[in-house]
């Protein structure tokens, strides 16, 4: 019996050791890994990749339009009853069999540079699709970053709440010990018990909020909801002073040159200009050329026919043609289309200017938020130090019987609030710093 108990105890130790090892090997996700996972597993990003692939295919098609077109044909027919004899070109009632073969080629020599403009437009559209792909990935990265910092803040407040519960339990144990010695009354112990219950309630609330933030991060990342997700909250930017106001102009220039939205807006202007050039090209004549080869074979089913090779050679025909099309009058549709394309160009130029102004405002706001969050972080850090000193003094006074439990709870709550404010301001500063770096041309997701 003792041997069985010993074996069972060893098995329990092995299971506990294996589970402890599994806990130790849980992967810790940093911000870069979360954003990369979100981009690689986002249906939005996949749809945009497919759209970009279609634009690349359209560009290749536009290039191939410059090459001549080539087509071939083979036909066979059988005649029964009254039909035309190709040999005598007269009607006959003899059954016949005939074959035809053709090869044709054509090329557009000139059409007002429409083909060239279409190729350029397809190339710009392909580049615009790549920028739009980057814009989608950046949007996903920003959403993931916000959810990541929300989860990090929830985990931080959860840690603070647990520390508060432990401190309240220590105070309650000490209060009961002092009451047994006659140094404290029952009312003080009751107040300490109420404080512990309030702190435990707050811990439950922040734990629920942490689970909600974790689920929101999983949803943003398209991460399996049932799988565990632990993030590394230790990574931080190095603390640096706030930006100077003079740096804003330089950041605006970098943002308008590197952001996908600004580049797409500039490409829209180029596409509108090419559309206007194509509309004007429709006023010019178009010239096309073509060439063809053809031959045939005929057989009277009741008599012997000329050999196939001889008929193929003798019936061979060749053709070369050129076609010139001159637009004279088309109901003023071409001129109206030019007016539309010119107005579209002007509208696109105004949209481009509006995009640049919007980016400038966003950059200035981001820099202001960064400077403000840095100042808030500094003040929050000072507040934590002051509240911590006040709590230590209050705790010592309480232990000496010079302070009530209610006053101690008030001081502890003020310290908890100050630490939570510092955590929030620090994470806000981290996010704003990341956003300003993005405007400075540093990618959100490292390549």
């Amino acid at each position: 019996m003792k041997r069985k108990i010993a074996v069972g105890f060893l098995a329990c130790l092995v299971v506990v050791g294996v589970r402890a090892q599994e806990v130790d090997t849980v992967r810790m996700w940093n911000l870069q890994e979360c954003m990369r996972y979100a981009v690689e597993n986002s249906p939005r990003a996949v749809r945009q990749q497919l759209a970009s692939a279609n634009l690349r295919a359209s560009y290749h098609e536009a290039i191939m339009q410059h090459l001549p077109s080539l087509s071939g044909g083979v036909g066979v027919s059988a005649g029964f009853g009254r039909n035309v004899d190709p040999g005598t070109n007269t009607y006959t009632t003899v059954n016949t069999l005939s074959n035809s073969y053709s090869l044709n080629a054509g090329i557009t020599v000139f059409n007002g540079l429409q083909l060239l403009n279409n190729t350029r437009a397809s190339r710009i559209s392909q580049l615009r699709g790549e920028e739009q792909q980057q814009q989608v990935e950046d949007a996903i990265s920003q959403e993931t970053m916000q959810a990541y910092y929300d989860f990090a803040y929830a985990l931080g407040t959860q840690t603070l709440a647990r520390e508060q519960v432990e401190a309240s339990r220590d105070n309650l144990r000490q209060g009961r010990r002092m009451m047994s010695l006659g140094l404290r009354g029952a009312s003080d112990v009751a107040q300490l018990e109420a404080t512990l219950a309030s702190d435990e309630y707050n811990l439950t609330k922040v734990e629920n909020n942490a689970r909600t933030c974790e689920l929101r991060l999983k949803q943003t990342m398209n991460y399996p909801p049932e799988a565990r997700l632990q993030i590394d909250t230790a990574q931080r930017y190095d603390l640096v002073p706030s930006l100077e106001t003079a740096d804003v102009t330089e950041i605006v220039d970098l943002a308008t040159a590197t952001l996908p939205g600004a580049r797409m807006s500039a490409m829209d202007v180029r596409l509108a200009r090419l559309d206007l050039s194509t509309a004007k090209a429709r006023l010019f004549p178009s010239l096309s050329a073509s060439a063809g080869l053809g031959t045939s074979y005929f057989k009277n089913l009741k008599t012997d026919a000329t050999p196939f090779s001889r008929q193929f050679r003798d019936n061979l025909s060749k053709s070369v043609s050129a076609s010139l099309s001159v637009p004279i009058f088309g109901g003023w549709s071409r001129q109206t289309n030019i007016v539309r394309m010119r107005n579209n160009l002007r509208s696109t130029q105004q949209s481009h200017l509006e995009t640049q102004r919007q980016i400038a405002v966003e950059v200035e706001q981001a820099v202001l938020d960064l400077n403000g969050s840095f100042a808030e972080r500094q003040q929050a850090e000072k507040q934590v130090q002051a509240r911590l000193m006040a709590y230590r003094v209050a705790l010592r006074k309480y232990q000496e019987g010079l302070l009530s439990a209610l006053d101690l709870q008030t001081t502890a709550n003020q310290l908890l609030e100050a630490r939570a404010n510092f955590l929030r301001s620090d994470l806000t500063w981290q996010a704003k710093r990341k956003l300003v770096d993005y405007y400075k041309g540093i990618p959100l997701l490292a390549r």
Side-chain angles (χ1 to χ4, degrees), residues 266 268-278 341 345 349:
D268 289 339
V269 174
R270 295 173 60 187
L271 286 173
R273 191 171 286 115
L274 285 173
D275 289 341
L276 176 60
S277 178
T278 301
M341 293 300 103
L345 173 59
Q349 290 172 340

Side-chain angles (χ1 to χ4, degrees), residues 345-363:
L345 173 59
R346 293 172 180 172
S347 176
T348 308
Q349 290 172 340
Q350 293 300 316
S351 298
H352 180 54
L353 293 176
E354 184 179 4
T355 300
Q356 290 181 323
R357 286 194 295 267
Q358 182 179 358
I359 290 175
V361 172
E362 291 178 358
V363 170

Side-chain angles (χ1 to χ4, degrees), residues 203-256:
L203 175 59
T204 302
K205 187 168 63 174
V206 296
E207 285 177 344
N208 292 335
N209 182 56
R211 285 191 286 269
T212 300
C213 292
E214 179 184 5
L215 184 60
R216 188 179 300 117
L217 177 59
K218 290 179 179 179
Q219 181 181 5
T220 307
M221 293 173 55
N222 287 280
Y223 193 81
E226 68 280 358
R228 294 187 61 186
L229 178 62
Q230 292 188 352
I231 62 174
D232 184 9
T233 59
Q235 290 188 347
R236 291 286 193 276
Y237 271 106
D238 295 333
L239 196 62
V240 295
S242 58
L243 294 174
E244 297 292 339
T245 307
D247 295 334
V248 176
T249 303
E250 182 180 353
I251 297 176
V252 170
D253 294 338
L254 290 172
T256 53

Side-chain angles (χ1 to χ4, degrees), residues 311-323:
Q311 287 196 41
F312 191 91
R313 183 178 62 254
D314 293 344
N315 295 335
L316 184 64
S317 63
K318 305 174 183 178
S319 64
V320 178
S321 64
S323 175

